[in-house]
Amino acid sequence: MTSVPDTDAAGRVLSADGTPLKQSLNRALRRQKLRALALIAPLLIFVLVSFVAPILDMLFRSVENQLISDNLPQTVVILEDWDPNSGELPSEAVFEAFAGDLQIAISKKVHTRIGSRLNYEKPGISSLFRKAGRQVKKWDIPNDGPYKEKFADLNKGFADIEVWRTIKTYSGAYTNGYFLNSIDMQKGADGAEARPENEQIYITLFIRTLIMSLAITSLCILLGYPVAWILANLPSRTANLLMILVLLPFWTSLLVRTSAWKVMLQDQGVVNEVLVWIGLVADDSRLALINNQTGTIIAMTHILLPFMILPLYSVMQTISPTYLRAAKSLGATDWTAFWRVYFPQSIPGIGAGSILVFILSIGYYITPELVGGTKGVFISNRIAFHILSSLNWGLAAALGTILLVVVMALYWAYDKIVGIDNVKLG
Amino acid sequence: MADSDQGGAFVEFDRVQKSYDGENLVVKDLNLSLPKGEFLTMLGPSGSGKTTCLMMLAGFETATNGDIRLDGQPINNIPPHKRGIGMVFQNYALFPHMTVAENLSFPLEVRKMGKSEREAKVKHVLELVQMGEFGGRRPSQLSGGQQQRIALARALVFEAELVLMDEPLGALDKQLRETMQFEIKRIADDLGITVVYVTHDQTEALTMSDRVAVFEDGRIQQLAPPDELYESPQNSFVAQFIGENNTLEGTVKEIKNGIALVQLDGGGLIDCKPVNVTKAGERTRVSIRPERVEFDKTRLHADAHTLKAEVLEFIYMGDIFRTRLRVAGQDDFIIKSRNAPDQVRLEPGSEIEIGWLAEDCRALDA
């Protein structure tokens, strides 16, 4: 018979030498834990440095706005007392402070950056700052005022109340301006307001991205399910052979595959030629299959299909064919047996595949860029544009953050509805 | 070998053959008929064709040739879901995404039965297998034995008259298996259902069945009630397969008055009952059960032939003693004796004489 463990006054179980059992267990496990930590440390550090840190930096950029308050410090302080809705330009003191700030900024060569930053909010300011840069550095401050007139002479843009309103609006160290911009709004005279309709693009893009990703995911389920079924029910020799066909696209360059679709789908492409040849489509009304949403959906479904088939296959492999037999022996028709018995058991595979395909497609960039034309591009193409061309990283970061939040929200919703433990990735 | 057409055969295999590859027959010329209410076991080593027969009856495999009839109707072309045969699978095949009650209600739902009627039947069948409180559980929350009961209940709930069982107790431990053997037998008898049971466990077959069909090499080797099967095996395969058995090889010297005199290859003459031998000079394999061997000369016929034996090993097994002997040059001759107060314990190394009643020793095919 085993002895009952001793306990101390507080009711804690004691080990043989009188120390609390929990404490000696911790001590015994500490070495093991440290060794385990040391083993994963290289990867942990790598992930932190190369993945977590950049993401945090990007998230920070979506609200960061220190460029203006750092480089126009005096101007920003004095501007606080000015009411843009008064209909008058700021006072002479503001202009004088601005001239002083600008001279320092010019000597540090940051005035053009300030200009481009403000240019995102009000086009034209960039050239204003560039021109000022050549003149202002020659000024003798504070002796050759008044600066209100000097600036007005330099460029009449400086006499525009809207320019000063923009400087005042973006004078804080942090701003929600990028996020407002991301959802087609802007900071107006009375706070946030909708942008004019011809400037609204992002909401449409977000919705298009979501709808098209859903369409791609659904198509992948429709096309992938039967394939996975066949793979799972064939003898393993044949299944392995066919599996190579499924994996083959993985071994081909993404660009090659996408370009191949261009060849297939264009006006004079293989598909259209065949359709015209067999007479399904008239020669003068060929199908527009590329450089639009159709093109993006077709190409991306093809590219992402393996990500649906693989988890489906691995889940289906674990479903014993006996279940179907059992259902049939109990009187179910083939369809009922499939729908009531097989399908529910394959849902974890559908879930895993859908999450993979949906999340991959929502952030997809290359394929929509190449085959999407103007109507078939995703939000990620816009993000890429702001990163690479317009250099408005703050806006790109805000768009990216929204995308991240949307994906996480969908993931959360999926967990609530289906349950994340119902997902099997392999 | 199988019973010929009798009136009122419920299940009937008529010259059934099955081949998967078109070259080898897995089932060769199977003839079998069983009346309503019978508990028939198909017993055989793996690969002997017994499961294939069961699957053909269930409709998951098609017979390559021949007819399978259920209640007089050929069922070769009837899909499994229309046959109305209950089936218990080897690993139960309870649907993991449904509760026990949903599993049981499934066959009733596909038969478009009303909700209240379904609930009543599920409740009834749960009580039949003594699992009344488990309706709300998932199969994964049940032990092996409990899952077994539910699988049985599911095969019974839609009142199938024929229930097939494919090694249903294979995954259970010994004790549970024995309990379930009696349980299944009791339920089958109570409901008066016809059961075709497949197993490779001969004890299970002997305990439960009305008749046992011993399969080997795609044929039924013997179809008989358990006692007959054990005591009068028709050939050396059946003798070997059912229970423990001593085999000696030899040549028939003469057959006289229903007794065959066999000259053993290892030396010695013995009396046997001729089963598969008809004339002198034939090769034969002689089979004798360990518990039918006598080493007490007073209990044998005065003129019975005996053999010299050397005791090699004595094993105490509690209820019985098991003694290994060298007989006619063979080291694997076993005798079993009951652990009774006056029982002799044979000393290894000692020389004894053994014998038996001629009818206990069967001269079978070589």
Side-chain angles (χ1 to χ4, degrees):
Chain A
M1 195 184 142
T2 54
S3 64
V4 180
D6 297 324
T7 51
D8 66 2
R12 290 178 302 180
V13 182
L14 298 179
S15 62
D17 61 355
T19 50
L21 194 58
K22 272 213 169 100
Q23 196 179 321
S24 43
L25 180 69
N26 279 341
R27 199 169 47 218
L29 292 180
R30 191 173 305 143
R31 265 183 78 89
Q32 261 177 299
K33 282 183 185 163
L34 279 176
R35 198 175 327 149
L37 189 68
L39 273 173
I40 62 156
L43 178 64
L44 190 65
I45 292 166
F46 176 74
V47 166
L48 283 176
V49 169
S50 65
F51 187 69
V52 178
I55 286 181
L56 290 178
D57 179 63
M58 212 56 198
L59 293 182
F60 179 64
R61 271 173 200 273
S62 63
V63 291
E64 184 260 2
N65 191 42
Q66 285 157 343
L67 188 71
I68 293 167
S69 58
D70 280 0
N71 292 303
L72 303 174
Q74 297 175 54
T75 321
V76 164
V77 172
I78 304 174
L79 252 184
E80 264 175 41
D81 299 330
W82 175 63
D83 175 12
N85 294 337
S86 63
E88 286 173 23
L89 279 174
S91 62
E92 173 62 20
V94 170
F95 280 93
E96 189 180 328
F98 182 60
D101 285 341
L102 208 52
Q103 263 193 342
I104 299 168
I106 289 162
S107 67
K108 290 198 285 189
K109 295 195 164 70
V110 293
H111 64 290
T112 48
R113 280 177 56 201
I114 302 172
S116 0
R117 166 69 190 95
L118 291 168
N119 199 61
Y120 300 145
E121 314 302 338
K122 185 167 169 50
I125 297 189
S126 179
S127 67
L128 218 56
F129 271 67
R130 232 179 7 256
K131 282 174 192 153
R134 282 174 232 132
Q135 302 295 325
V136 175
K137 62 179 174 196
K138 300 176 200 151
W139 294 355
D140 176 18
I141 300 168
N143 303 322
D144 50 359
Y147 294 100
K148 200 185 268 197
E149 280 75 29
K150 273 187 93 99
F151 271 111
D153 288 346
L154 184 68
N155 191 311
K156 63 179 184 326
F158 284 111
D160 181 355
I161 292 180
E162 289 309 311
V163 169
W164 289 99
R165 185 204 295 279
T166 307
I167 296 177
K168 183 177 160 76
T169 310
Y170 289 92
S171 59
Y174 299 97
T175 178
N176 57 4
Y178 292 126
F179 278 102
L180 288 176
N181 201 344
S182 305
I183 52 170
D184 290 334
M185 294 176 83
Q186 61 187 0
K187 288 179 136 184
D190 311 306
E193 61 183 36
R195 275 177 188 270
E197 252 172 56
N198 58 355
E199 287 178 28
Q200 295 185 359
I201 50 169
Y202 297 116
I203 295 278
T204 324
L205 263 179
F206 272 119
I207 290 172
R208 183 198 292 166
T209 306
L210 288 178
I211 289 175
M212 285 176 70
S213 297
L214 277 178
I216 289 160
T217 311
S218 316
L219 275 174
C220 280
I221 295 174
L222 281 179
L223 297 175
Y225 199 94
V227 176
W229 161 281
I230 288 172
L231 285 176
N233 285 291
L234 280 176
S236 62
R237 257 182 73 92
T238 333
N240 286 339
L241 200 71
L242 289 182
M243 186 52 99
I244 292 177
L245 296 182
V246 171
L247 292 175
L248 203 61
F250 269 146
W251 304 335
T252 327
S253 153
L254 181 64
L255 277 171
V256 172
R257 274 180 284 160
T258 308
S259 315
W261 276 115
K262 276 190 109 103
V263 176
M264 292 285 290
L265 297 177
Q266 60 191 322
D267 264 7
Q268 308 297 321
V270 179
V271 173
N272 266 318
E273 290 292 345
V274 168
L275 288 178
V276 168
W277 183 65
I278 61 176
L280 269 178
V281 167
D283 198 14
D284 51 356
S285 61
R286 286 167 182 252
L287 302 177
L289 294 173
I290 202 151
N291 296 330
N292 57 19
Q293 302 190 354
T294 319
T296 306
I297 289 178
I298 292 176
M300 281 185 60
T301 302
H302 168 241
I303 284 162
L304 295 177
L305 202 51
F307 293 99
M308 181 62 79
I309 293 177
L310 289 176
L312 267 177
Y313 169 66
S314 78
V315 167
M316 284 179 178
Q317 259 193 324
T318 64
I319 305 175
S320 160
T322 326
Y323 290 124
L324 279 180
R325 288 187 161 184
K328 286 184 208 165
S329 83
L330 294 171
T333 58
D334 287 354
W335 169 252
T336 316
F338 167 77
W339 184 245
R340 295 276 317 271
V341 173
Y342 194 90
F343 183 76
Q345 294 188 64
S346 67
I347 284 180
I350 297 180
S354 301
I355 286 190
L356 269 178
V357 169
F358 185 79
I359 290 180
L360 278 172
S361 73
I362 212 174
Y364 228 72
Y365 160 66
I366 293 244
T367 305
E369 184 76 23
L370 291 176
V371 300
T374 48
K375 288 283 179 200
V377 293
F378 281 8
I379 193 71
S380 46
N381 299 91
R382 201 65 199 167
I383 296 177
F385 166 77
H386 284 304
I387 294 266
L388 300 170
S389 305
S390 82
L391 301 183
N392 189 351
W393 285 25
L395 182 56
L399 290 170
T401 308
I402 291 177
L403 198 57
L404 185 64
V405 170
V406 168
V407 168
M408 281 160 96
L410 287 170
Y411 188 80
W412 177 83
Y414 183 91
D415 185 28
K416 284 284 148 196
I417 299 164
V418 186
I420 213 68
D421 17 331
N422 257 335
V423 166
K424 258 196 236 156
L425 285 171
Chain B
M1 209 166 291
D3 292 5
S4 55
D5 270 348
Q6 6 169 287
F10 185 50
V11 178
E12 210 175 356
F13 286 84
D14 185 8
R15 313 211 59 178
V16 171
Q17 292 183 308
K18 173 71 184 175
S19 171
Y20 288 105
D21 54 4
E23 286 171 14
N24 303 303
L25 282 172
V26 182
V27 175
K28 299 169 185 162
D29 194 22
L30 179 79
N31 295 285
L32 178 66
S33 75
L34 57 153
K36 220 167 199 160
E38 181 168 48
F39 196 120
L40 179 114
T41 299
M42 295 178 170
L43 174 69
S46 50
S48 59
K50 56 188 195 308
T51 301
T52 308
C53 285
L54 196 74
M55 290 302 166
M56 286 194 287
L57 186 51
F60 299 123
E61 300 289 354
T62 18
T64 313
N65 199 11
D67 268 340
I68 302 172
R69 284 190 283 274
L70 181 62
D71 221 357
Q73 302 296 316
I75 53 170
N76 286 24
N77 295 318
I78 299 179
H81 68 270
K82 289 189 181 149
R83 294 192 182 191
I85 299 176
M87 182 147 182
V88 180
F89 290 84
Q90 197 166 6
N91 295 311
Y92 320 133
L94 295 175
F95 306 138
H97 58 291
M98 297 183 190
T99 63
V100 164
E102 284 166 346
N103 262 286
L104 296 177
S105 157
F106 181 83
L108 307 177
E109 275 170 49
V110 299
R111 286 178 170 73
K112 311 257 189 293
M113 201 174 271
K115 189 161 188 265
S116 53
E117 200 181 344
R118 284 201 318 253
E119 279 169 0
K121 283 192 188 256
V122 168
K123 191 164 175 286
H124 175 75
V125 79
L126 274 175
E127 271 157 22
L128 183 71
V129 296
Q130 297 166 7
M131 293 283 289
E133 311 100 80
F134 293 88
R137 301 261 189 106
R138 297 256 166 185
S140 56
Q141 295 168 308
L142 302 178
S143 71
Q146 291 170 330
Q147 291 187 31
Q148 176 54 56
R149 284 166 191 265
I150 299 303
L152 181 63
R154 195 175 62 174
L156 296 173
V157 71
F158 57 98
E159 285 158 10
E161 291 185 335
L162 173 63
V163 174
L164 313 181
M165 304 193 189
D166 183 13
E167 308 209 11
L169 306 179
L172 303 181
D173 61 59
K174 189 168 176 290
Q175 211 168 356
L176 204 51
R177 200 153 61 211
E178 281 165 9
T179 323
M180 283 308 295
Q181 283 168 12
F182 291 112
E183 191 84 336
I184 291 175
K185 182 73 179 145
R186 173 184 70 80
I187 291 171
D189 286 349
D190 284 359
L191 298 179
I193 49 173
T194 312
V195 177
V196 178
Y197 191 101
V198 162
T199 183
H200 60 260
D201 182 337
Q202 37 130 336
T203 331
E204 210 165 281
L206 296 180
T207 324
M208 302 173 77
S209 323
D210 296 328
R211 282 194 301 168
V212 179
V214 181
F215 274 71
E216 163 65 3
D217 196 25
R219 288 180 199 281
I220 294 182
Q221 303 290 332
Q222 187 169 1
L223 174 66
D227 52 349
E228 196 184 319
L229 202 65
Y230 186 81
E231 283 166 30
S232 322
Q234 289 294 323
N235 57 35
S236 54
F237 174 79
V238 177
Q240 286 288 345
F241 195 73
I242 309 285
E244 203 168 10
N245 190 64
N246 291 306
T247 308
L248 299 166
E249 290 189 34
T251 314
V252 180
K253 208 169 171 193
E254 58 169 358
I255 299 180
K256 202 166 63 183
N257 304 332
I259 288 185
L261 192 63
V262 173
Q263 172 72 53
L264 298 178
D265 294 349
L269 272 175
I270 50 169
D271 300 323
C272 309
K273 180 179 177 176
V275 179
N276 291 345
V277 289
T278 48
K279 58 181 193 292
E282 269 184 272
R283 293 287 298 161
T284 182
R285 198 173 275 180
V286 176
S287 150
I288 169 91
R289 298 284 179 201
E291 68 273 17
R292 295 291 168 93
V293 179
E294 280 297 346
F295 52 88
D296 183 353
K297 267 201 128 172
T298 59
R299 299 168 77 164
L300 290 169
H301 285 290
D303 57 349
H305 285 94
T306 57
L307 288 174
K308 282 200 184 329
E310 182 193 350
V311 180
L312 296 175
E313 198 177 3
F314 175 84
I315 302 163
Y316 178 84
M317 293 180 76
D319 54 345
I320 55 160
F321 303 145
R322 194 180 143 95
T323 315
R324 189 160 65 88
L325 308 174
R326 176 180 295 137
V327 174
Q330 277 174 246
D331 286 353
D332 55 358
F333 198 95
I334 303 291
I335 60 175
K336 282 182 188 167
S337 42
R338 204 163 57 88
N339 184 356
D342 59 344
Q343 188 61 270
V344 183
R345 299 190 182 197
L346 295 167
E347 285 296 318
S350 57
E351 295 274 345
I352 55 168
E353 269 188 71
I354 56 167
W356 43 76
L357 300 176
E359 56 263 36
D360 284 337
C361 177
R362 300 171 67 82
L364 304 168
D365 51 313

